[in-house]
């Protein structure tokens, strides 16, 4: 089976094509293409992602990325003739994506590539951004007559941890031997949640942030320290040379008996600290803040692992790139629990994770039923 996946939930435009072979339950995958085009440079000057700019950039980038992906996957077939101008169905599908329509008309129709399904992120994320990917998927589905499988973005992040690379060939991988239940700690710019996974496709959110996401806190504190956007990588780099015990920032809700998080108070504590101290070492602030976030994430996750007798801890999301978090989780892990960490290059948003997760979905969804769901939950 060949899968084409599209991911446009935030500020990365991503397309991946994978091929699966072998047994249905223990497939071997080959990455035929995996392209991520980041818009960070565009959003940087605004200090965060601007939804309308993201929407516009996705419209501009999707067609050239698709063409490159098809070529890399050797699925590119020649353009045959000009797209009929009167194709009103296509015009309807892309009525709100005029820029994307224009770019599609420049290259389509292409001969139908040998692809079995199109996977597309339908949420959670920024709705204007999600819609571009969804309508692109619908347009391709219409032109090529290939079914669509709508995917949850957070489920994709879980699968980055479940990928087991073939030691010899970086393009080949399988899925880790999974023993349930799995507890997944998902930490990104928009979400922070602990998910109990009883099987593939069976998810319960047992804890989540009641205000800011962990990545969001990193981004906001980085802004206060003038470290630019996105803040996570900048803070963790600076923290390397700082003293994590220099400032006793609060560990919000660490003692509370729920698996929920709160990071907005911590962010405010940093703000007050900077306001009330005329001289401070940025690196100590970064290190102490990072330690506070990691301590809370680790404490709650360990409690969840024990309470649910988890066999595996899977880490996912942009903040999964954080070296201190990776190490602290490993050090705190109960015996007999296996920690699965994603490859650093797959921690940020990408379409490969959407492709892999979609392999396990049985049925496609009729295009008409697919909508952007900004607040979609992994448990839906
Ligand atoms: O999953 P992701 O790429 O996008 C969303 O779906 O939100 O996550 C992006 C978030 C940003 O907030 C970024 O600052 C954070 O991940 N991040 C990090 C690190 N690298 C990225 N946070 C802490 N340490 C890092 N090394
Ligand atoms: Zn994400």
């Amino acid at each position: 089976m060949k899968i084409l996946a599209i991911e446009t939930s935030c500020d990365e435009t991503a397309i991946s094509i994978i091929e699966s072979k072998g047994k249905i339950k223990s497939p071997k995958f080959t990455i035929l293409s995996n392209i991520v085009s980041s818009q960070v440079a565009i959003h940087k000057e605004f200090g965060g992602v601007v939804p309308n700019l993201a929407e516009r950039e996705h419209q501009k980038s999707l067609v050239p990325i698709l063409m490159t992906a098809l070529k890399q996957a050797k699925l590119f077939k020649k353009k045959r003739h000009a797209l009929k101008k009167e194709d009103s169905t296509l015009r309807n599908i892309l009525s709100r994506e005029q820029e994307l329509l224009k770019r599609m008309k420049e290259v389509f129709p292409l001969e139908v590539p040998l692809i079995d399904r199109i996977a597309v992120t339908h949420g959670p994320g920024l709705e204007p951004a999600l819609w571009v990917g969804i309508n692109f998927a619908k347009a391709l589905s219409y032109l090529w007559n290939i079914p669509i499988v709508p995917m949850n973005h957070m489920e994709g992040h879980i699968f980055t941890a479940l990928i087991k690379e073939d030691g010899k060939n970086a393009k080949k991988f399988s899925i880790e031997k999974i023993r349930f239940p799995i507890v997944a700690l998902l930490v990104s710019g928009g979400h922070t949640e602990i998910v109990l996974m009883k099987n593939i496709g069976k998810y319960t959110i047992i804890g989540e942030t009641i205000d800011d996401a962990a990545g969001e806190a990193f981004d906001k504190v980085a802004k206060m320290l003038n470290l630019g956007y996105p803040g996570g990588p900048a803070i963790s780099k600076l923290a390397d040379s700082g003293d994590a015990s220099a400032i006793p920032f609060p560990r919000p809700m660490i003692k509370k008996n729920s698996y929920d998080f709160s990071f907005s108070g911590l962010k405010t504590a940093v703000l007050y600290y900077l306001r009330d101290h005329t001289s401070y070492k940025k690196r100590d602030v970064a290190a102490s803040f990072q330690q506070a976030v990691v301590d809370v994430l680790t404490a709650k996750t360990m409690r969840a692992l024990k309470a649910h007798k988890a066999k595996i801890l899977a880490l996912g999301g942009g903040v999964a790139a954080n070296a201190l978090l990776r190490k602290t989780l490993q050090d705190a892990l109960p015996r007999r629990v296996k920690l699965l960490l994603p490859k650093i290059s797959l921690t940020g948003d990408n379409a490969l994770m959407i492709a892999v997760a979609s392999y396990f979905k049985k049925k496609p969804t009729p295009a008409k039923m697919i909508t952007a769901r900004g607040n979609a939950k992994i448990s839906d």
Side-chain angles (χ1 to χ4, degrees), residues 225-245:
L225 295 172
N226 284 320
L227 296 177
Y229 175 85
I235 294 222
S236 74
K237 189 160 173 244
L238 192 60
D240 280 346
S241 59
D243 175 2
S245 58

Side-chain angles (χ1 to χ4, degrees), residues 103-315:
R103 287 178 194 245
M104 282 193 79
K105 280 184 176 167
E106 286 165 10
V107 297
F108 277 81
L110 301 170
E111 254 175 67
V112 182
L114 289 172
I115 286 169
D116 302 278
R117 60 169 53 173
I118 298 170
V120 65
T121 304
H122 70 151
L126 304 168
E127 286 199 358
L130 288 164
W131 270 120
V132 182
I134 290 172
N135 285 334
F136 187 51
K138 289 185 185 186
L140 295 179
S141 169
Y142 162 70
L143 292 168
W144 289 339
N145 195 23
I146 300 172
I148 307 179
V149 179
M151 292 302 303
N152 181 288
H153 180 81
M154 304 312 289
E155 186 177 16
H157 276 306
I158 293 186
F159 273 85
T160 61
L162 306 184
I163 286 176
K164 187 178 177 204
E165 275 198 319
D166 180 324
K168 287 170 234 129
N169 186 338
K171 298 230 172 289
K172 299 215 181 263
F173 67 90
S174 56
I175 298 296
E176 290 277 356
K177 272 216 168 59
I178 317 181
R179 286 167 303 143
F180 297 102
I182 294 179
V183 161
L185 173 63
L186 302 180
V187 271
S188 71
H191 296 83
T192 299
E193 54 199 38
I194 298 182
V195 175
L196 180 65
M197 180 175 177
K198 288 207 170 140
N199 213 324
I200 293 179
K202 282 198 94 181
Y203 308 100
T204 314
I205 299 175
I206 57 173
E208 61 191 323
T209 182
I210 58 168
D211 42 54
D212 293 352
E216 194 179 352
F218 269 93
D219 294 338
K220 286 177 176 168
V221 168
K223 212 172 187 174
M224 294 177 208
L225 295 172
N226 284 320
L227 296 177
Y229 175 85
I235 294 222
S236 74
K237 189 160 173 244
L238 192 60
D240 280 346
S241 59
D243 175 2
S245 58
I247 310 158
F249 287 128
R251 270 71 174 154
M253 295 173 68
I254 199 164
K255 294 228 165 74
K256 242 184 146 200
N257 220 354
S258 78
Y259 304 116
D260 288 339
F261 302 97
S262 162
F263 291 109
S264 119
L266 172 59
K267 170 194 72 189
T268 313
V270 176
L271 185 71
Y272 289 166
Y273 182 86
L274 300 182
R275 187 194 63 186
D276 298 341
H277 295 77
T278 40
S279 77
Y280 52 81
K281 287 192 187 131
K282 269 192 188 185
R283 53 178 189 267
D284 288 349
V285 177
S288 301
F289 160 77
Q290 176 178 256
Q291 190 68 56
V293 175
V294 168
D295 282 353
V296 181
L297 291 173
T298 304
K300 300 256 169 178
T301 304
M302 293 308 135
R303 216 179 293 150
L305 288 172
K306 283 175 199 142
H308 292 277
K309 299 195 170 56
K311 306 261 182 15
I312 288 175
L313 168 61
L315 179 67

